[in-house]
Amino acid sequence: MDLTHFRFETDQDGIALATWDSPGRSMNVITPEVMAELDRIIDAVAGDAAVKGCVITSGKEAFSGGADLTMLQGLGAEYARLSRERGEEEAMRFFFEETRRLSLLYRKLETCGKPFAAAIHGTCLGGAFELALACHHRVVSDDDKTRVGLPEIKVGLFPGAGGTQRVARLMQTGDALQMLFKGDQIRPLMARNMGLVHAVAKRDSVVAEAKAWIRGGGAALAPWDQPKFKAPSGKVYSPAGMMTWPPANAIYRRETHDNYPAAKAILQSVYEGLQLPMDLALKVESRYFSKILRSPEAAAMIRSLFVSMGELNKGARRPAAIGPVSLKRVGVVGAGFMGAGIAYVTAQAGIEVVLIDQSAEAAEKGKAYSHKLVSDQIMKGRAKTADRDALLARITATADYAALSDCDLVIEAVFEDPKVKAEVIAKVEASIRPETIFASNTSTLPISGLADGSARPDQFIGIHFFSPVEKMLLVEIIKGRQSGERALAAALDYVRAIRKTPIVVNDARGFFANRCVGAYILEGHLMLAEGVPAAMIENAGRQAGMPVGPLSLNDEVGVDLGLKILKATKAQAGEGAVNPLQERLLVALVEGEGRLGRKNRKGFYDYPENGPKRLWPGLAALAGTRQDPDAVDFQELKHRLLVAQAVEAARVYGEGVVTDPREADVGSILGFGFAPFTGGVLSYIDGMGARRFVELCRRLEAKHGARFAPPANLLAMAETGERFYGRAEARAA
């Protein structure tokens, strides 16, 4: 066979080996060309009596990340074209048949009459794992890099190539639904224990083990195709089924608030599919998949969380004229919570770290944070003692600034005070080489102002991490007035090295993320001051799609920090720059009640040592007024919380702080969890349409104040019908 994406060979025992190794790609991806070649391989195996069976494996470090989602985007565009030219019915027929091609291909493999086995090493996710599930036997390597899973829910989709039906027939229904809803990547031993794979072998033995299964007479019949097959949880309409489905529906509503159509489609596909023979069940799954793929939520999430995020991770904003910047050794000044986290993620990426604080003891305390994080991983079986020893060996803790002399990049993470930072900048610049890049991890202070204290402002840039550093995926890179292209390139290379997603913003107080987060928290504060019950505020935030309510979020970042930022803003920008109601509330909480947030176990919530957090009962008295909950427009609360952030993002975009809608959207989801189903802050506006969004802003402005006033760029877009992405695409063209 003349194949491009696979190597195909048959051994002396008549066992074929199909090695997936797409040229020119670091990762195998399912494309129409790959599907066509796999179809030919199935025909070759099934049609040759001398071939006993086939093992499918990968010639790369990973098996496959799944399907190319841009292929699915293309189907959506073709559907729209056909709908215009030939009508909705013809377009829908085409769309349905095209979106189920992969499902039909896998079913062909499963029922071809010859045994297929998957030999998996490394990442095997999405449509690639659905391929493995269609194989009759699955062997995975015991390597720590090996993961299997169906993460489609994270981009607004669900497994549409048989995943919902096969998983639901391999394990208890409740466990299957949990797996499909979470979209987690599963480790080898856990996958075997869950019944998703049959065996775990050494990396060098996975193909041999898979061949041995075929050689030993492995059956070419999936369990669900056997006449007496029974699903692990029994029939849907049975006592066991009734113990599963009502709670599953309740959990779905609690976790999604009906914001994610794909999650509902998972419930429907599994519920209906388990009552049908496999071929009909797969057809049901395909119908739901084609429906979800056309949903605005899926389109927005695929664009932001797959396409845009991938482009940013690959360096979409990196200056093309600057070559790779060497980053063998990085200095971190300030070994507190943020600095310790930065040191950890840097060392984890294999980079040498110099961690500096005022005393050697303080620096060692910061290093101990890395020890704790890796020790926690060891306790969970996700790391080994040798991993911890190697990581700690890469961190040098000291109080001596001279240790920075051979660093390629230095990041300061000291107290958020211009004077303190100016002292650190002077000490660092006295110790580093002329070509070393200096970065500040400030969260609110303008970079250009800090760079005024630098002798080399072209080498000065902002690298703003989010807390906790080891968990948060987003990093804001802030360009000051004089930040040079090499400084930007170095910052982007560093962020890529530590496997986080960068967005590039221009300098302004609060930058991008904190301005939007601040608007969200402010709205929660003002609602509380208006007498809206705190529980209603928090529920409105979660039901609008935010990960936590605004009051809870304020507790996490620190109520006292919010007050410090407010006071600093007032001192530098004047009385009109802060909201007096918010100021009174925070002063009363922090200075009057000593409630600093989660850090001292009391903020808007109480945090008992033994038990879940609960809203502080004193909040109602602090507000001084209380509205009747039945008289509160709950839908308006949800709108206020989302619109406050989106209109601020539009202002930031109009001011040129953010210049790329991809960065605004990806940054809003990764940085502060803005309703992912919308695709991000600017996609939220585009999805509604600028005209409708401006009308909503005007209604909220009339009732709640000028903070909802739409900026000039939004008003212009409402007049012309433009979209943020339309403007960006026009500029790019």
Side-chain angles (χ1 to χ4, degrees):
M1 277 188 295
D2 183 18
L3 301 172
T4 300
H5 297 277
F6 290 88
R7 296 191 297 274
F8 186 80
E9 54 194 355
T10 305
D11 66 16
Q12 60 187 10
D13 294 325
I15 300 172
L17 178 65
T19 303
W20 188 2
D21 195 359
S22 294
R25 287 184 179 268
S26 59
M27 171 83 76
N28 290 322
V29 175
I30 299 168
T31 63
E33 294 75 22
V34 169
M35 292 165 61
E37 290 191 9
L38 181 58
D39 193 21
R40 291 168 59 195
I41 289 169
I42 296 167
D43 286 340
V45 171
D48 190 342
V51 177
K52 294 179 180 178
C54 180
V55 174
I56 300 176
T57 192
S58 170
K60 300 187 186 297
E61 277 301 298
F63 189 86
S64 168
D68 181 357
L69 294 188
T70 57
M71 171 179 70
L72 300 181
Q73 280 189 315
L75 285 178
E78 183 64 13
Y79 167 81
R81 185 189 68 80
L82 283 173
S83 184
R84 289 192 306 270
E85 295 178 2
R86 301 186 189 177
E88 180 73 16
E89 185 176 339
E90 180 68 24
M92 195 63 244
R93 184 180 296 110
F94 161 84
F95 194 77
F96 174 66
E97 293 302 332
E98 286 297 307
T99 55
R100 70 186 300 231
R101 281 180 59 204
L102 193 60
S103 181
L104 291 173
L105 177 64
Y106 290 172
R107 185 60 174 159
K108 177 180 178 178
L109 179 152
E110 191 171 57
T111 58
C112 74
K114 294 285 182 74
F116 274 77
I120 298 165
H121 169 71
T123 302
C124 179
L125 301 174
F129 188 50
E130 288 180 289
L131 168 61
L133 290 171
C135 291
H136 306 98
H137 192 73
R138 294 169 288 283
V139 182
V140 297
S141 78
D142 62 359
D143 193 277
D144 189 55
K145 293 179 181 177
T146 297
R147 299 284 191 280
V148 300
L150 299 169
E152 287 89 343
I153 192 70
K154 295 184 177 180
V155 291
L157 293 174
F158 72 97
T164 65
Q165 302 309 309
R166 293 186 176 95
V167 165
R169 287 163 171 78
L170 286 172
M171 61 176 76
Q172 295 288 325
T173 303
D175 295 336
L177 289 173
Q178 186 176 44
M179 175 192 166
L180 294 166
F181 282 155
K182 286 187 172 182
D184 288 343
Q185 298 185 21
I186 303 166
R187 293 170 181 272
L189 289 176
M190 180 61 73
R192 186 187 65 187
N193 293 342
M194 293 168 70
L196 293 170
V197 303
H198 298 92
V200 178
K202 295 293 183 185
R203 177 180 178 177
D204 296 336
S205 304
V206 287
V207 172
E209 292 257 355
K211 283 188 171 185
W213 175 80
I214 295 175
R215 193 179 298 112
L221 191 66
W224 35 87
D225 289 323
Q226 297 175 12
K228 295 184 179 180
F229 172 74
K230 292 182 180 179
S233 292
K235 295 181 178 180
V236 169
Y237 285 99
S238 67
M242 291 304 103
M243 293 290 288
T244 299
W245 288 102
N249 191 55
I251 292 169
Y252 152 75
R253 291 189 180 279
R254 183 192 71 193
E255 296 298 321
T256 70
H257 304 292
D258 259 345
N259 287 324
Y260 295 88
K264 188 174 185 179
I266 287 172
L267 268 183
Q268 293 169 311
S269 294
V270 174
Y271 176 76
E272 295 175 25
L274 284 175
Q275 301 176 61
L276 298 168
M278 191 59 164
D279 288 301
L280 279 177
L282 290 172
K283 193 168 187 178
V284 165
E285 179 193 74
S286 293
R287 289 198 181 282
Y288 280 115
F289 184 73
S290 64
K291 177 183 177 182
I292 293 305
L293 189 55
R294 291 185 298 117
S295 69
E297 291 86 356
M301 291 180 74
I302 289 171
R303 181 172 65 187
S304 292
L305 294 175
F306 180 77
V307 179
S308 295
M309 188 170 162
E311 290 167 350
L312 295 177
N313 284 337
K314 291 174 184 175
R317 294 297 309 280
R318 194 185 187 283
I322 307 295
V325 179
S326 174
L327 294 168
K328 295 178 181 177
R329 195 172 179 85
V330 171
V332 180
V333 182
F337 183 62
M338 291 299 291
I342 296 168
Y344 168 74
V345 298
T346 306
Q348 191 182 42
I351 301 171
E352 298 288 327
V353 179
V354 177
L355 181 59
I356 288 186
D357 211 299
Q358 290 179 318
S359 67
E361 292 77 15
E364 286 292 346
K365 185 178 178 181
K367 182 176 178 177
Y369 185 68
S370 291
H371 185 282
K372 177 185 181 301
L373 289 175
V374 187
S375 297
D376 290 344
Q377 295 294 309
I378 293 171
M379 292 294 290
K380 295 174 182 176
R382 297 175 182 173
K384 299 174 183 176
T385 304
D387 298 327
R388 181 179 62 196
D389 294 343
L391 185 143
L392 293 175
R394 289 193 286 272
I395 302 176
T396 301
T398 179
D400 185 3
Y401 278 75
L404 299 172
S405 60
D406 58 349
C407 287
D408 305 299
L409 168 70
V410 175
I411 304 169
E412 69 81 6
V414 299
F415 188 66
E416 197 81 349
D417 182 304
K419 292 181 180 178
V420 174
K421 289 185 182 291
E423 292 172 5
V424 167
I425 292 166
K427 288 182 180 179
V428 169
E429 291 193 345
S431 305
I432 58 178
R433 304 191 308 266
E435 67 273 17
T436 300
I437 303 299
F438 184 94
S440 173
N441 177 52
T442 179
S443 58
T444 57
L445 298 174
I447 290 296
S448 299
L450 296 176
D452 287 342
S454 169
R456 309 169 314 159
D458 62 314
Q459 301 280 72
F460 197 106
I461 199 161
I463 300 181
H464 175 213
F465 288 87
F466 294 79
S467 180
V469 175
E470 65 277 5
K471 292 182 180 179
M472 298 298 286
L473 293 175
L474 184 73
V475 177
E476 261 183 324
I477 295 174
I478 304 105
K479 293 169 60 180
R481 283 191 308 271
Q482 299 183 64
S483 297
E485 294 284 87
R486 185 172 177 275
L488 175 59
L492 286 165
D493 288 351
Y494 168 69
V495 173
R496 186 173 188 180
I498 61 174
R499 302 178 190 90
K500 294 189 183 293
T501 297
I503 62 170
V504 179
V505 304
N506 291 315
D507 198 16
R509 179 173 293 279
F511 316 128
F512 165 69
N514 280 346
R515 279 180 62 172
C516 296
V517 168
Y520 178 58
I521 292 174
L522 169 63
E523 207 57 34
H525 292 167
L526 297 181
M527 288 176 179
L528 189 66
E530 293 165 13
V532 178
M536 188 173 263
I537 298 168
E538 296 292 86
N539 284 332
R542 290 191 294 270
Q543 290 193 35
M546 299 297 293
V548 295
L551 307 181
S552 179
L553 179 59
N554 199 176
D555 274 0
E556 294 295 330
V557 300
V559 184
D560 59 331
L561 176 60
L563 181 58
K564 286 176 184 174
I565 293 171
L566 187 145
K567 287 185 173 181
T569 302
K570 185 177 178 179
Q572 295 181 16
E575 293 271 352
V578 303
N579 188 293
L581 287 175
Q582 182 183 37
E583 184 178 19
R584 283 199 293 271
L585 176 66
L586 294 183
V587 167
L589 270 172
V590 175
E591 298 176 1
E593 301 288 344
R595 304 187 72 85
L596 311 182
R598 188 159 200 150
K599 65 179 71 176
N600 76 332
R601 295 189 176 276
K602 53 183 184 178
F604 289 95
Y605 285 78
D606 285 321
Y607 298 87
E609 289 196 24
N610 300 311
K613 68 180 184 181
R614 53 179 178 262
L615 283 161
W616 177 45
L619 286 177
L622 200 67
T625 182
R626 180 175 172 82
Q627 293 189 42
D628 177 3
D630 292 333
V632 176
D633 185 340
F634 191 73
Q635 187 65 27
E636 184 183 87
L637 296 185
K638 291 163 62 177
H639 276 146
R640 286 173 64 179
L641 291 169
L642 292 186
V643 171
Q645 299 175 76
V647 78
E648 187 64 22
R651 288 191 194 104
V652 172
Y653 191 82
E655 293 166 13
V657 177
V658 172
T659 59
D660 189 326
R662 296 175 299 178
E663 292 178 305
D665 280 344
V666 172
S668 67
I669 295 174
L670 298 187
F672 48 94
F674 184 87
F677 66 91
T678 67
V681 278
L682 298 187
S683 282
Y684 173 64
I685 298 173
D686 274 358
M688 190 181 300
R691 184 168 299 169
R692 280 184 57 211
F693 184 79
V694 165
E695 289 170 358
L696 178 56
C697 286
R698 290 297 195 202
R699 291 198 298 272
L700 294 174
E701 180 188 9
K703 191 172 179 180
H704 299 288
R707 63 187 180 278
F708 288 107
N713 59 330
L714 267 182
L715 294 174
M717 289 168 62
E719 286 293 323
T720 61
E722 281 185 285
R723 298 174 296 109
F724 284 103
Y725 279 87
R727 283 186 163 194
E729 289 159 5
R731 284 202 307 269

